[in-house]
Amino acid sequence: MSKRLEHCKMKVKKRKYLIKKTNKYIKHDRFKKLKALILDNDIHPDSVIGRCDRTCLHISAKNGSMDCLKFLIESGADPKLKDTKGNYPLHLSLKYLLRQKSFNRTTAKDLIEPLKQNMAELIHDQNDSGTTCWHLLQGLNAKERLLTEDTSDSNISSESAANCITQDNE
């Protein structure tokens, strides 16, 4: 059973306000404001705040919000929780990285490593569309290889062009 952002006596209006603020802070990776909001309002880090029963950790992973993700993990958020589509936060972070036009190894590591810890036995679990975290990791590795090959090919072609120009000038 998922934990909802609600206390028995919390009014609906206040709950909606807190969910809206939590989503905003995560989207803009404002972990200090998120931390204050969570601590001041006694919100559990595994509270459901998004569609498809997504937790704060799911939303952080989906948006690539590294600082919020780190804070939530340190606060005890569970990376093994699935949303209603069967996605772990790791699924969402990998999808985020695959959508990016460029590849930054440091960013990828900072976003993936905290979620991968203690997930070894779950890495092959499929979501509702049949995709596993392992499939997405393989795709990310392929993207990294392609982008580094493109960079090295363009460097080689630039060097070749420079050599041709110097040979023509001679």
Side-chain angles (χ1 to χ4, degrees), residues 29-161:
D29 205 14
R30 306 234 193 274
F31 85 96
K32 289 180 182 177
K33 288 187 175 191
L34 178 66
K35 181 179 181 178
L37 184 75
I38 285 176
L39 295 176
D40 292 347
N41 292 285
D42 194 31
I43 299 170
H44 192 279
D46 286 335
S47 297
V48 173
I49 63 161
R51 288 183 282 209
C52 302
D53 282 347
R54 290 192 173 151
T55 65
C56 295
L57 201 55
H58 284 95
I59 305 294
S60 295
K62 181 180 184 265
N63 288 295
S65 303
M66 288 181 289
D67 292 331
C68 288
L69 189 131
K70 287 177 190 173
F71 161 70
L72 290 165
I73 297 253
E74 290 169 1
S75 299
D78 187 0
K80 295 180 181 180
L81 293 178
K82 287 185 172 186
D83 63 12
T84 56
K85 294 182 178 184
N87 291 309
Y88 292 112
L90 183 57
H91 277 100
L92 301 175
S93 66
L94 291 165
K95 288 177 184 180
Y96 168 82
L97 290 167
L98 286 166
R99 281 192 311 269
Q100 302 308 302
K101 292 180 182 177
S102 61
F103 183 83
N104 182 322
R105 183 173 293 172
T106 306
T107 302
K109 183 180 178 194
D110 289 346
L111 198 55
I112 294 170
E113 290 305 317
L115 297 171
K116 268 180 49 178
Q117 293 176 0
N118 304 317
M119 289 280 296
E121 71 279 0
L122 303 173
I123 203 93
H124 294 288
D125 278 4
Q126 293 183 357
N127 63 11
D128 291 354
S129 63
T131 306
T132 67
C133 292
W134 186 83
H135 290 131
L136 295 169
L137 282 166
Q138 297 307 309
L140 191 62
N141 289 336
K143 178 179 180 175
E144 180 183 15
R145 281 193 308 273
L146 285 172
L147 290 176
T148 52
E149 285 175 10
D150 286 347
T151 305
S152 61
D153 287 347
S154 64
N155 288 342
I156 292 169
S157 60
S158 298
E159 291 171 11
S160 300

Side-chain angles (χ1 to χ4, degrees), residues 2 26 61 86 128:
S2 62
I26 290 171
D128 291 354

